Structures are given as C-alpha cells and as structure tokens.
Amino acid sequence: MIERIKIGNNWLLYFPEEDGGKFISVNNIASIVPNYSKGGSMIFLNCVDKAVAITMEPEEIAEYLNTRVAKGNR
C-alpha cells in the first residue's frame, strides 16, 4: 500500500517494492502510464528523461492521488 510522507512543504509517496521501495515527490510526477512489457506502471517525472517502474497499476495510483493527496486528506 502506498504511504505518504510530508517533509517540509513537500509530499512524497512511498511505494513498497521487492527491492525495498521507492520515494517519489508528488509535485514531480508528470504522468503515470501502464507498463505493458512488465505490468504495473511507469511514472514519468518532470525534467527527467527516464521513468520509474512501479508494480501497482496506474488506476490504483491515480485513485490514491485523487482521494488522499489532492483532496487534502493528509
């Protein structure tokens, strides 16, 4: 399950993964697309040419962002 962490004025999402997990700044997310080759999602970040692979489906991540982070349920 995704966890959200606030450091100063920045919100980070923590995605638990088999390799220990990944932190991604909510403000740096440019887009979330399906990872058709391996399953899960690819999260593209602003000003970065590569994406971060996440095992969760894009719909799950988008729903979490819409219900938890965007509406202020922090």
Side-chain angles (χ1 to χ4, degrees):
M1 180 51 103
I2 301 172
E3 294 181 40
R4 62 192 179 284
I5 300 162
K6 188 172 185 180
I7 298 177
N9 291 329
N10 297 314
W11 282 99
L12 303 173
L13 297 180
Y14 174 72
F15 295 91
E17 299 281 325
E18 290 181 14
D19 63 358
K22 297 176 175 113
F23 287 95
I24 297 177
S25 172
V26 173
N27 292 334
N28 286 337
I29 296 174
S31 63
I32 303 169
V33 299
N35 184 346
Y36 293 111
S37 64
K38 296 182 180 178
S41 303
M42 298 296 291
I43 299 178
F44 288 88
L45 304 174
N46 296 319
C47 302
V48 179
D49 292 335
K50 295 185 179 183
V52 178
I54 302 294
T55 57
M56 296 179 73
E57 295 298 320
E59 297 80 13
E60 294 176 276
I61 299 168
E63 181 179 336
Y64 184 86
L65 288 170
N66 287 331
T67 58
R68 299 290 184 136
V69 176
K71 294 183 180 178
N73 296 331
R74 303 174 181 160

